[in-house]
Structures are given as C-alpha cells and as structure tokens.
Coordinates of all heavy atoms in Angstrom, one line a residue:
M1 N 0.9 -1.2 0.0 CA 0.0 0.0 0.0 C 0.9 1.2 0.0 O 1.8 1.3 0.7 CB -0.9 0.0 1.2 CG -2.2 0.6 1.0 SD -3.2 0.5 2.5 CE -2.8 2.0 3.3
T2 N 0.5 2.2 -0.8 CA 1.3 3.4 -0.8 C 0.9 4.3 0.3 O -0.3 4.4 0.7 CB 1.2 4.2 -2.1 OG1 -0.2 4.4 -2.4 CG2 1.8 3.4 -3.3
Q3 N 1.9 5.0 0.9 CA 1.6 5.9 2.0 C 0.9 7.2 1.4 O 1.3 7.6 0.3 CB 2.9 6.3 2.7 CG 3.5 5.2 3.5 CD 2.7 4.9 4.7 OE1 2.2 5.8 5.3 NE2 2.5 3.6 5.0
P4 N 0.0 7.8 2.1 CA -0.5 9.1 1.7 C 0.7 10.1 1.6 O 1.6 10.0 2.5 CB -1.5 9.5 2.7 CG -1.4 8.5 3.8 CD -0.6 7.4 3.4
Q5 N 0.6 11.1 0.8 CA 1.6 12.1 0.7 C 1.6 13.0 2.0 O 0.6 13.1 2.6 CB 1.2 13.0 -0.5 CG 2.4 13.3 -1.4 CD 1.9 14.2 -2.5 OE1 0.8 14.1 -3.0 NE2 2.7 15.1 -2.9
T6 N 2.8 13.4 2.3 CA 2.9 14.3 3.5 C 3.3 15.7 3.0 O 4.3 15.9 2.3 CB 3.9 13.8 4.5 OG1 3.5 12.5 4.9 CG2 4.1 14.7 5.7
F7 N 2.7 16.7 3.6 CA 2.9 18.1 3.2 C 3.5 18.8 4.4 O 3.3 18.3 5.6 CB 1.7 18.8 2.7 CG 1.1 18.1 1.5 CD1 -0.1 17.4 1.6 CD2 1.7 18.3 0.2 CE1 -0.6 16.8 0.5 CE2 1.2 17.7 -0.9 CZ 0.0 16.9 -0.7
T8 N 4.1 19.9 4.2 CA 4.6 20.8 5.3 C 3.7 21.9 5.5 O 3.4 22.7 4.5 CB 6.0 21.2 5.0 OG1 6.8 20.1 4.8 CG2 6.6 22.1 6.2
I9 N 3.2 22.1 6.7 CA 2.4 23.3 7.0 C 3.2 24.2 7.8 O 3.8 23.9 8.8 CB 1.1 22.8 7.9 CG1 0.5 21.5 7.4 CG2 0.1 23.9 8.1 CD1 0.0 21.6 6.1
T10 N 3.1 25.5 7.4 CA 3.6 26.6 8.2 C 2.5 27.4 8.7 O 1.8 28.0 7.9 CB 4.6 27.4 7.4 OG1 5.6 26.5 6.9 CG2 5.3 28.5 8.3
A11 N 2.2 27.4 10.0 CA 1.1 28.1 10.6 C 1.6 29.2 11.5 O 2.3 29.0 12.4 CB 0.2 27.1 11.3
V12 N 1.1 30.4 11.2 CA 1.4 31.6 12.1 C 0.1 31.8 13.0 O -1.0 31.8 12.5 CB 1.6 32.9 11.3 CG1 1.8 34.0 12.2 CG2 2.8 32.7 10.4
Y13 N 0.4 31.8 14.3 CA -0.7 32.0 15.2 C -0.2 32.8 16.4 O 0.9 32.5 17.0 CB -1.2 30.6 15.8 CG -2.3 30.8 16.8 CD1 -3.4 31.5 16.4 CD2 -2.3 30.1 18.0 CE1 -4.5 31.7 17.3 CE2 -3.3 30.3 18.9 CZ -4.4 31.1 18.6 OH -5.4 31.2 19.5
E14 N -0.9 33.9 16.7 CA -0.5 34.8 17.8 C 1.0 35.2 17.6 O 1.7 35.2 18.6 CB -0.8 34.2 19.1 CG -2.3 34.0 19.3 CD -2.7 33.6 20.7 OE1 -1.9 32.9 21.4 OE2 -3.8 33.9 21.1
G15 N 1.3 35.5 16.4 CA 2.7 36.0 16.2 C 3.8 35.0 16.1 O 5.0 35.4 15.9
E16 N 3.5 33.8 16.3 CA 4.5 32.7 16.3 C 4.3 31.8 15.1 O 3.1 31.5 14.8 CB 4.5 31.9 17.6 CG 5.1 32.5 18.7 CD 5.2 31.6 19.9 OE1 5.7 30.5 19.7 OE2 4.7 32.0 21.0
S17 N 5.4 31.4 14.5 CA 5.3 30.6 13.3 C 5.6 29.1 13.8 O 6.6 28.9 14.5 CB 6.3 31.0 12.3 OG 6.3 30.2 11.2
H18 N 4.8 28.2 13.3 CA 5.0 26.8 13.7 C 5.0 26.0 12.4 O 4.2 26.3 11.5 CB 3.8 26.2 14.5 CG 3.5 27.0 15.7 ND1 4.1 26.8 16.9 CD2 2.7 28.1 15.9 CE1 3.6 27.7 17.8 NE2 2.7 28.4 17.2
S19 N 5.9 25.0 12.3 CA 6.0 24.2 11.1 C 5.7 22.7 11.5 O 6.2 22.3 12.6 CB 7.3 24.2 10.4 OG 7.3 25.4 9.6
F20 N 4.9 22.0 10.8 CA 4.6 20.6 11.2 C 4.2 19.9 9.9 O 3.7 20.5 9.0 CB 3.6 20.5 12.3 CG 2.3 21.3 12.0 CD1 1.2 20.6 11.4 CD2 2.1 22.6 12.3 CE1 0.1 21.3 11.1 CE2 1.0 23.3 12.1 CZ -0.1 22.6 11.5
P21 N 4.4 18.6 10.0 CA 4.0 17.7 8.8 C 2.5 17.4 8.9 O 1.9 17.3 10.0 CB 4.8 16.5 9.0 CG 5.0 16.4 10.4 CD 5.1 17.7 11.0
C22 N 1.9 17.3 7.7 CA 0.4 16.9 7.7 C 0.3 15.9 6.5 O 0.6 16.3 5.3 CB -0.4 18.1 7.5 SG -2.2 17.8 7.5
R23 N -0.3 14.8 6.7 CA -0.6 13.9 5.6 C -1.8 14.3 4.9 O -2.7 15.0 5.4 CB -0.8 12.4 6.2 CG 0.4 11.8 6.8 CD 0.1 10.3 7.0 NE -1.2 10.1 7.5 CZ -1.5 9.9 8.8 NH1 -0.6 10.0 9.7 NH2 -2.8 9.7 9.1
A24 N -1.9 13.9 3.6 CA -3.0 14.2 2.8 C -4.3 13.7 3.3 O -5.4 14.2 3.0 CB -2.8 13.7 1.3
D25 N -4.3 12.6 4.1 CA -5.5 12.1 4.7 C -5.7 12.6 6.2 O -6.5 11.9 6.9 CB -5.5 10.6 4.6 CG -4.4 10.0 5.5 OD1 -3.5 10.7 6.0 OD2 -4.4 8.8 5.7
Q26 N -5.1 13.6 6.5 CA -5.2 14.1 7.9 C -5.7 15.6 7.8 O -5.2 16.3 6.9 CB -3.8 14.1 8.5 CG -3.7 14.2 9.9 CD -2.2 14.0 10.3 OE1 -1.2 14.3 9.6 NE2 -1.9 13.5 11.5
T27 N -6.5 16.0 8.7 CA -6.9 17.4 8.7 C -5.7 18.2 9.3 O -4.9 17.8 10.0 CB -8.1 17.8 9.6 OG1 -7.8 17.5 10.9 CG2 -9.3 17.0 9.1
V28 N -5.6 19.5 8.8 CA -4.5 20.3 9.3 C -4.6 20.5 10.8 O -3.6 20.4 11.5 CB -4.6 21.7 8.6 CG1 -3.5 22.7 9.2 CG2 -4.5 21.6 7.1
L29 N -5.8 20.6 11.3 CA -6.0 20.7 12.8 C -5.4 19.4 13.5 O -4.7 19.5 14.5 CB -7.4 21.0 13.2 CG -7.6 21.3 14.6 CD1 -7.0 22.6 15.0 CD2 -9.1 21.3 15.0
A30 N -5.8 18.2 13.0 CA -5.3 17.0 13.6 C -3.8 16.9 13.6 O -3.2 16.5 14.5 CB -6.0 15.8 12.9
A31 N -3.2 17.4 12.5 CA -1.8 17.3 12.3 C -1.1 18.3 13.3 O -0.1 18.0 13.9 CB -1.4 17.6 10.9
A32 N -1.7 19.4 13.5 CA -1.2 20.4 14.5 C -1.3 19.8 15.9 O -0.3 19.9 16.6 CB -2.0 21.7 14.4
E33 N -2.3 19.2 16.2 CA -2.4 18.6 17.5 C -1.5 17.5 17.7 O -0.8 17.4 18.7 CB -3.8 18.1 17.7 CG -4.8 19.2 18.2 CD -6.3 18.8 18.2 OE1 -6.6 17.6 18.0 OE2 -7.1 19.6 18.5
A34 N -1.2 16.7 16.7 CA -0.3 15.6 16.8 C 1.1 16.1 17.0 O 2.0 15.5 17.6 CB -0.4 14.7 15.5
A35 N 1.4 17.3 16.4 CA 2.7 17.9 16.6 C 2.9 18.8 17.8 O 3.9 19.4 18.0 CB 3.0 18.7 15.3
G36 N 1.8 18.9 18.6 CA 1.8 19.7 19.8 C 1.7 21.2 19.5 O 2.1 22.0 20.4
V37 N 1.2 21.6 18.4 CA 1.0 23.0 18.0 C -0.4 23.4 18.5 O -1.4 22.8 18.0 CB 1.2 23.2 16.5 CG1 0.9 24.7 16.2 CG2 2.6 22.8 16.1
P38 N -0.5 24.3 19.4 CA -1.9 24.7 19.9 C -2.6 25.7 19.0 O -2.4 26.9 19.1 CB -1.6 25.3 21.2 CG -0.2 25.9 21.1 CD 0.5 25.1 20.0
L39 N -3.5 25.1 18.1 CA -4.3 26.0 17.3 C -5.7 26.0 17.8 O -6.1 25.0 18.4 CB -4.3 25.5 15.8 CG -2.9 25.6 15.1 CD1 -3.1 25.1 13.7 CD2 -2.2 26.9 15.2
P40 N -6.5 27.1 17.6 CA -7.8 27.2 18.2 C -8.7 26.2 17.5 O -8.7 26.0 16.3 CB -8.2 28.6 18.0 CG -7.3 29.1 16.9 CD -6.1 28.3 17.0
S41 N -9.6 25.6 18.3 CA -10.7 24.7 17.7 C -11.8 24.6 18.7 O -11.6 24.8 19.9 CB -10.1 23.3 17.4 OG -9.7 22.6 18.6
S42 N -12.9 24.1 18.3 CA -14.0 23.9 19.2 C -14.9 22.7 18.7 O -14.8 21.6 19.3 CB -14.9 25.2 19.3 OG -15.9 25.0 20.1
C43 N -15.7 22.9 17.6 CA -16.6 21.8 17.3 C -15.9 20.7 16.5 O -16.4 19.6 16.5 CB -17.7 22.4 16.4 SG -17.2 22.8 14.7
C44 N -14.9 21.0 15.8 CA -14.1 20.0 15.0 C -15.0 19.4 13.9 O -14.7 18.2 13.5 CB -13.4 19.0 15.9 SG -12.1 19.7 16.8
S45 N -16.0 20.0 13.5 CA -16.8 19.5 12.4 C -17.2 20.5 11.4 O -18.2 20.3 10.6 CB -18.1 18.7 13.0 OG -18.8 19.6 13.8
G46 N -16.5 21.6 11.3 CA -16.7 22.5 10.1 C -17.9 23.5 10.3 O -18.4 24.0 9.3
V47 N -18.3 23.7 11.5 CA -19.5 24.5 11.7 C -19.2 25.8 12.4 O -19.7 26.9 12.1 CB -20.6 23.7 12.5 CG1 -21.8 24.6 12.8 CG2 -21.0 22.5 11.7
C48 N -18.5 25.8 13.5 CA -18.4 26.9 14.4 C -17.5 28.0 14.0 O -17.6 29.1 14.4 CB -18.0 26.5 15.8 SG -16.2 26.0 16.0
T49 N -16.5 27.7 13.1 CA -15.5 28.6 12.6 C -14.4 29.1 13.6 O -13.6 29.9 13.3 CB -16.0 29.9 11.9 OG1 -16.5 30.8 12.9 CG2 -17.1 29.6 10.9
T50 N -14.4 28.4 14.8 CA -13.3 28.8 15.7 C -11.9 28.6 15.1 O -10.9 29.3 15.4 CB -13.4 27.9 17.0 OG1 -14.7 28.1 17.6 CG2 -12.3 28.2 18.0
C51 N -11.8 27.5 14.3 CA -10.5 27.1 13.7 C -10.2 27.8 12.4 O -9.3 27.4 11.7 CB -10.5 25.6 13.5 SG -11.7 25.2 12.2
A52 N -10.9 28.9 12.1 CA -10.7 29.6 10.8 C -9.3 30.0 10.6 O -8.6 30.5 11.6 CB -11.6 30.8 10.7
A53 N -8.8 29.9 9.4 CA -7.4 30.3 9.1 C -7.5 30.9 7.7 O -8.5 30.7 6.9 CB -6.5 29.2 9.1
R54 N -6.5 31.7 7.3 CA -6.4 32.2 6.0 C -5.1 31.7 5.4 O -4.1 31.9 5.9 CB -6.4 33.7 6.0 CG -6.6 34.3 4.6 CD -7.2 35.6 4.5 NE -7.5 35.9 3.1 CZ -8.0 37.0 2.7 NH1 -8.1 38.0 3.5 NH2 -8.3 37.2 1.4
I55 N -5.3 31.0 4.2 CA -4.1 30.4 3.6 C -3.5 31.4 2.6 O -4.2 32.0 1.8 CB -4.6 29.1 2.9 CG1 -5.1 28.1 3.9 CG2 -3.5 28.6 2.0 CD1 -5.8 27.0 3.3
S56 N -2.2 31.6 2.8 CA -1.6 32.6 1.8 C -0.8 31.8 0.7 O -0.7 32.4 -0.3 CB -0.6 33.5 2.6 OG 0.3 32.7 3.4
E57 N -0.4 30.6 1.0 CA 0.2 29.8 0.0 C -0.3 28.4 0.1 O -0.3 27.8 1.2 CB 1.7 29.8 0.1 CG 2.4 30.9 -0.6 CD 3.9 30.9 -0.2 OE1 4.5 29.9 -0.7 OE2 4.4 31.8 0.4
G58 N -0.7 27.8 -1.1 CA -1.1 26.4 -1.1 C -2.6 26.2 -1.1 O -3.3 27.2 -1.2
T59 N -3.0 25.0 -1.2 CA -4.4 24.7 -1.4 C -4.9 23.6 -0.4 O -4.1 22.7 -0.1 CB -4.7 24.2 -2.8 OG1 -3.8 23.2 -3.2 CG2 -4.7 25.4 -3.8
V60 N -6.2 23.6 -0.1 CA -6.8 22.6 0.7 C -8.0 22.0 0.1 O -8.6 22.7 -0.8 CB -7.1 23.1 2.2 CG1 -5.9 23.4 3.0 CG2 -8.1 24.2 2.1
H61 N -8.4 20.8 0.6 CA -9.7 20.3 0.1 C -10.5 20.3 1.4 O -10.2 19.7 2.4 CB -9.4 18.8 -0.3 CG -10.6 18.1 -0.7 ND1 -11.4 18.5 -1.8 CD2 -11.2 16.9 -0.3 CE1 -12.4 17.7 -1.9 NE2 -12.3 16.7 -1.1
Q62 N -11.7 21.0 1.4 CA -12.5 21.2 2.6 C -14.0 21.1 2.2 O -14.8 22.0 2.5 CB -12.2 22.5 3.3 CG -12.1 23.7 2.4 CD -11.9 25.0 3.2 OE1 -12.0 25.0 4.4 NE2 -11.7 26.1 2.5
P63 N -14.4 19.9 1.8 CA -15.8 19.8 1.3 C -16.8 20.0 2.5 O -18.0 20.3 2.3 CB -15.9 18.4 0.8 CG -14.8 17.6 1.4 CD -13.7 18.7 1.5
D64 N -16.4 19.8 3.7 CA -17.3 19.9 4.8 C -17.2 21.3 5.6 O -17.8 21.4 6.7 CB -16.9 18.8 5.9 CG -17.2 17.4 5.4 OD1 -18.1 17.3 4.5 OD2 -16.5 16.5 5.8
A65 N -16.6 22.2 5.0 CA -16.4 23.5 5.6 C -17.7 24.3 5.4 O -17.8 25.3 4.6 CB -15.2 24.3 5.1
M66 N -18.8 23.9 6.1 CA -20.1 24.6 6.0 C -20.1 26.0 6.4 O -20.9 26.8 5.9 CB -21.1 23.8 6.8 CG -21.4 22.5 6.1 SD -22.6 21.6 7.2 CE -21.4 20.8 8.4
G67 N -19.2 26.4 7.3 CA -19.2 27.7 7.9 C -18.6 28.8 7.0 O -18.5 29.9 7.4
V68 N -18.1 28.4 5.8 CA -17.4 29.4 4.9 C -18.0 29.4 3.6 O -18.2 28.4 2.9 CB -15.9 28.9 4.8 CG1 -15.1 30.0 4.0 CG2 -15.2 28.7 6.1
K69 N -18.4 30.6 3.1 CA -19.0 30.7 1.8 C -17.9 30.4 0.7 O -16.7 30.6 0.9 CB -19.5 32.1 1.6 CG -20.8 32.4 2.4 CD -21.5 33.6 1.9 CE -20.9 34.9 2.5 NZ -21.7 36.1 2.4
D70 N -18.4 30.0 -0.5 CA -17.5 29.6 -1.5 C -16.5 30.7 -1.9 O -15.3 30.5 -2.2 CB -18.2 29.1 -2.7 CG -18.8 27.7 -2.5 OD1 -18.4 27.1 -1.6 OD2 -19.7 27.4 -3.3
D71 N -17.0 32.0 -2.0 CA -16.1 33.0 -2.5 C -15.0 33.3 -1.4 O -13.9 33.7 -1.8 CB -16.9 34.3 -2.9 CG -17.8 34.8 -1.8 OD1 -18.2 34.0 -0.9 OD2 -18.1 36.0 -1.9
L72 N -15.3 33.0 -0.2 CA -14.3 33.2 0.8 C -13.3 32.1 0.9 O -12.2 32.3 1.2 CB -15.0 33.5 2.2 CG -15.8 34.8 2.3 CD1 -16.5 34.8 3.6 CD2 -14.8 36.0 2.2
K73 N -13.8 30.9 0.6 CA -12.8 29.8 0.4 C -11.9 30.2 -0.7 O -10.6 29.9 -0.6 CB -13.6 28.5 0.0 CG -14.3 27.9 1.2 CD -15.0 26.6 0.7 CE -15.9 26.1 1.7 NZ -16.8 25.0 1.2
E74 N -12.4 30.7 -1.8 CA -11.5 31.1 -2.9 C -10.5 32.2 -2.4 O -9.4 32.3 -2.9 CB -12.3 31.6 -4.1 CG -12.8 30.4 -4.9 CD -13.8 30.7 -5.9 OE1 -13.8 31.9 -6.4 OE2 -14.6 29.8 -6.2
A75 N -10.9 33.0 -1.5 CA -10.0 34.1 -0.9 C -9.0 33.5 0.0 O -8.2 34.2 0.5 CB -10.9 35.1 -0.3
G76 N -9.1 32.2 0.3 CA -8.1 31.6 1.1 C -8.5 31.2 2.5 O -7.8 30.6 3.3
Y77 N -9.8 31.5 2.9 CA -10.2 31.1 4.2 C -10.5 29.6 4.2 O -11.0 29.0 3.3 CB -11.5 31.8 4.6 CG -11.3 33.2 5.0 CD1 -11.5 34.3 4.0 CD2 -10.8 33.6 6.2 CE1 -11.3 35.6 4.4 CE2 -10.5 34.9 6.5 CZ -10.8 35.9 5.7 OH -10.5 37.2 6.0
A78 N -10.1 29.0 5.4 CA -10.3 27.5 5.5 C -10.7 27.3 7.0 O -10.3 28.0 7.9 CB -9.0 26.8 5.2
L79 N -11.4 26.2 7.2 CA -11.6 25.7 8.5 C -10.7 24.5 8.7 O -10.9 23.4 8.1 CB -13.1 25.3 8.7 CG -14.1 26.4 8.5 CD1 -15.5 25.9 8.6 CD2 -13.8 27.6 9.5
L80 N -9.7 24.7 9.6 CA -8.6 23.7 9.7 C -9.1 22.3 10.2 O -8.5 21.3 9.9 CB -7.5 24.2 10.6 CG -6.9 25.5 10.1 CD1 -5.7 25.9 11.0 CD2 -6.4 25.4 8.6
C81 N -10.2 22.3 10.9 CA -10.7 21.0 11.5 C -11.2 20.1 10.4 O -11.4 18.9 10.6 CB -11.7 21.2 12.5 SG -13.3 21.9 12.0
V82 N -11.6 20.7 9.2 CA -12.1 19.8 8.0 C -11.3 20.1 6.8 O -11.8 19.7 5.7 CB -13.6 20.1 7.8 CG1 -14.4 19.6 9.0 CG2 -13.9 21.6 7.6
A83 N -10.1 20.7 6.9 CA -9.3 21.0 5.7 C -8.1 20.0 5.6 O -7.3 19.8 6.5 CB -8.7 22.4 5.9
F84 N -8.1 19.3 4.4 CA -7.1 18.4 4.1 C -6.1 19.1 3.2 O -6.6 19.6 2.2 CB -7.6 17.1 3.4 CG -8.5 16.4 4.4 CD1 -9.9 16.6 4.4 CD2 -8.0 15.4 5.2 CE1 -10.8 15.9 5.2 CE2 -8.9 14.7 6.0 CZ -10.3 15.0 6.0
P85 N -4.8 19.1 3.4 CA -3.9 19.7 2.5 C -3.8 19.0 1.1 O -3.8 17.8 1.1 CB -2.6 19.7 3.3 CG -2.7 18.4 4.1 CD -4.1 18.3 4.5
T86 N -3.7 19.8 0.1 CA -3.4 19.2 -1.2 C -2.1 19.7 -1.7 O -1.7 19.5 -2.9 CB -4.5 19.5 -2.2 OG1 -4.8 20.9 -2.2 CG2 -5.8 18.8 -1.9
S87 N -1.3 20.5 -0.9 CA 0.0 21.0 -1.2 C 0.6 21.4 0.1 O -0.1 21.4 1.1 CB -0.1 22.1 -2.2 OG -0.6 23.3 -1.5
D88 N 1.9 21.9 0.1 CA 2.4 22.5 1.3 C 1.6 23.8 1.5 O 1.1 24.4 0.5 CB 3.9 22.9 1.1 CG 4.8 21.7 1.0 OD1 4.3 20.6 1.4 OD2 5.9 21.8 0.6
L89 N 1.5 24.2 2.8 CA 0.6 25.3 3.1 C 1.4 26.4 4.0 O 2.2 26.0 4.8 CB -0.6 24.9 3.9 CG -1.6 24.0 3.3 CD1 -2.6 23.6 4.3 CD2 -2.2 24.5 2.0
T90 N 1.1 27.6 3.7 CA 1.5 28.7 4.6 C 0.1 29.3 5.0 O -0.7 29.7 4.1 CB 2.4 29.7 4.0 OG1 3.5 29.0 3.5 CG2 2.8 30.8 5.0
L91 N -0.1 29.5 6.3 CA -1.4 30.0 6.7 C -1.3 30.8 8.0 O -0.3 30.7 8.7 CB -2.5 28.9 6.9 CG -2.1 27.8 7.9 CD1 -2.6 28.2 9.3 CD2 -2.7 26.5 7.5
T92 N -2.3 31.6 8.3 CA -2.4 32.3 9.5 C -3.7 31.8 10.2 O -4.8 31.8 9.6 CB -2.6 33.8 9.2 OG1 -1.5 34.2 8.5 CG2 -2.6 34.6 10.6
A93 N -3.5 31.3 11.4 CA -4.6 30.8 12.2 C -5.2 31.8 13.1 O -4.6 32.9 13.2 CB -4.2 29.5 13.0
G94 N -6.3 31.5 13.7 CA -7.0 32.4 14.6 C -7.7 33.6 13.8 O -7.7 34.7 14.3
M95 N -8.3 33.2 12.7 CA -8.9 34.2 11.8 C -10.4 34.2 12.0 O -11.2 34.7 11.1 CB -8.6 33.9 10.4 CG -7.1 34.0 10.0 SD -6.5 35.7 10.3 CE -6.9 36.5 8.8
E96 N -10.9 33.7 13.1 CA -12.4 33.6 13.3 C -13.0 35.0 13.1 O -14.1 35.2 12.4 CB -12.7 33.1 14.6 CG -14.2 32.9 14.9 CD -14.5 32.3 16.2 OE1 -13.7 32.3 17.1 OE2 -15.7 31.8 16.3
D97 N -12.5 36.0 13.8 CA -13.1 37.3 13.7 C -13.1 37.9 12.3 O -14.0 38.5 11.9 CB -12.4 38.3 14.7 CG -12.7 38.0 16.2 OD1 -13.6 37.2 16.4 OD2 -12.0 38.5 17.0
A98 N -11.9 37.7 11.6 CA -11.8 38.2 10.3 C -12.8 37.5 9.3 O -13.4 38.2 8.5 CB -10.4 38.0 9.8
L99 N -12.9 36.2 9.5 CA -13.9 35.5 8.7 C -15.3 35.9 9.0 O -16.1 36.1 8.0 CB -13.8 34.0 9.0 CG -14.8 33.1 8.3 CD1 -14.6 33.2 6.8 CD2 -14.6 31.7 8.7
Y100 N -15.6 36.1 10.2 CA -17.0 36.6 10.6 C -17.3 37.9 9.9 O -18.3 38.2 9.3 CB -17.1 36.7 12.1 CG -18.5 37.1 12.5 CD1 -19.4 36.0 12.7 CD2 -18.9 38.4 12.7 CE1 -20.7 36.3 13.1 CE2 -20.2 38.7 13.1 CZ -21.1 37.6 13.3 OH -22.4 37.9 13.6
E101 N -16.3 38.8 10.0 CA -16.4 40.2 9.4 C -16.6 40.1 7.9 O -17.5 40.7 7.3 CB -15.2 41.0 9.8 CG -15.2 42.4 9.2 CD -16.3 43.3 9.8 OE1 -16.7 43.0 10.9 OE2 -16.6 44.3 9.2
A102 N -15.8 39.2 7.3 CA -15.9 39.0 5.8 C -17.2 38.5 5.4 O -17.8 38.8 4.3 CB -14.7 38.1 5.3
Q103 N -17.8 37.6 6.2 CA -19.1 36.9 5.8 C -20.3 37.8 6.2 O -21.3 37.8 5.5 CB -19.2 35.6 6.6 CG -18.2 34.6 6.1 CD -18.7 33.2 6.1 OE1 -19.0 32.6 5.1 NE2 -18.7 32.6 7.3
F104 N -20.3 38.4 7.4 CA -21.5 39.0 7.9 C -21.3 40.5 8.2 O -22.3 41.1 8.5 CB -21.9 38.3 9.2 CG -22.1 36.9 9.1 CD1 -21.2 36.0 9.8 CD2 -23.1 36.4 8.3 CE1 -21.4 34.6 9.7 CE2 -23.2 35.0 8.2 CZ -22.4 34.1 8.8
G105 N -20.1 41.0 7.9 CA -19.9 42.4 8.2 C -20.8 43.4 7.6 O -21.3 44.4 8.2
Q106 N -21.3 43.0 6.3 CA -22.1 44.0 5.6 C -23.5 44.0 6.2 O -24.3 45.0 5.9 CB -22.2 43.6 4.1 CG -23.0 42.4 3.7 CD -22.1 41.1 3.7 OE1 -21.2 41.0 4.5 NE2 -22.4 40.2 2.8
Y107 N -23.9 43.1 7.0 CA -25.3 43.1 7.6 C -25.3 43.9 8.9 O -26.4 44.0 9.5 CB -25.7 41.7 7.9 CG -25.7 40.8 6.7 CD1 -25.0 39.6 6.7 CD2 -26.4 41.1 5.5 CE1 -25.0 38.8 5.5 CE2 -26.4 40.4 4.4 CZ -25.7 39.2 4.4 OH -25.6 38.4 3.3
Q108 N -24.2 44.3 9.4 CA -24.1 44.9 10.7 C -24.0 46.4 10.6 O -23.9 47.1 11.6 CB -22.9 44.4 11.5 CG -23.1 42.9 11.7 CD -22.0 42.4 12.5 OE1 -20.9 42.8 12.4 NE2 -22.3 41.4 13.3
K109 N -24.0 47.0 9.4 CA -23.8 48.4 9.3 C -25.1 49.2 9.8 O -26.2 48.7 9.6 CB -23.6 48.8 7.9 CG -22.3 48.2 7.3 CD -21.0 49.1 7.7 CE -19.8 48.4 7.7 NZ -19.4 47.3 7.0
Ligands
FES1 S1 -13.5 23.8 15.2 FE1 -15.5 24.4 14.6 S2 -15.4 24.8 12.5 FE2 -13.4 23.9 13.0

C-alpha cells in the first residue's frame, strides 16, 4: 500500500510561526495537535469557525467547511478542522473574527 503524501504546514498563530507535517488524509488541525502545536478549535466538524485560518500559499480540500462561503474559500479562508492539504501550506490561524467580518460584516452596518 502506498503511503499518503505528506505536506509541510507553516502556521502563524499569535505572532509565532509553527511548522509541522500533515498527511494528505489528515486534517490540518489534527496534524497540528499531533505535533503539539496549539491552534484554536471547538466543534471540530466545520460549523463553528473557531478554527478559521487564511491560507496565503497552497491549497486545501475542505468539502465539509459549511461555515465558509465559496467566495471566501477562494479568498483563502479555511476551517482547519475539516481541511485536508493538497499541497504545502502557509497560513495564518486564529482568523475567526476576520472570517466573521468578511461573511457578515455587511449586515451589521
Ligand atoms: S473547530 Fe468548529 S469549524 Fe473547526
């Protein structure tokens, strides 16, 4: 059996940069936890957006990210608890407020 591909994730969170490996069949959040990198999470099922991140380089597969609109996924937002890497990634975690603002900000004026 061939092993799933492993990618390198570089995650910036609260001003610190962390690098850890993530298999193609592993969510970015699970890989961070396995590597001892503390990234925010709550529901772990793609709903609450606590784990929101913005990807600056690379791509993910996140069919279960119900909390993110398609155009924001294209802008790089991802829910790390349901995001599987399809390349090496550079991302900023802790983007819940920014994602909320991007999705709902226009309704609050
Ligand atoms: S932890 Fe709730 S959406 Fe990821």
Side-chain angles (χ1 to χ4, degrees):
M1 213 177 90
T2 53
Q3 291 290 321
Q5 227 179 325
T6 299
F7 300 107
T8 300
I9 315 297
T10 304
V12 177
Y13 180 52
E14 293 186 331
E16 283 186 51
S17 176
H18 308 269
S19 282
F20 52 90
C22 183
R23 293 192 320 264
D25 65 349
Q26 195 176 29
T27 64
V28 177
L29 188 67
E33 277 172 5
V37 177
L39 298 184
S41 68
S42 177
C43 73
C44 293
S45 53
V47 178
C48 73
T49 73
T50 302
C51 64
R54 189 157 193 187
I55 295 167
S56 53
E57 275 176 60
T59 49
V60 293
H61 181 57
Q62 50 174 349
D64 295 333
M66 289 175 276
V68 184
K69 288 197 280 197
D70 284 346
D71 54 339
L72 292 172
K73 286 180 190 167
E74 278 166 29
Y77 284 101
L79 297 179
L80 299 183
C81 67
V82 290
F84 298 89
T86 53
S87 72
D88 289 346
L89 298 178
T90 302
L91 60 86
T92 305
M95 297 299 277
E96 184 179 17
D97 291 347
L99 174 62
Y100 186 88
E101 178 68 22
Q103 297 211 101
F104 304 116
Q106 73 268 35
Y107 303 123
Q108 296 182 327
K109 298 271 155 33

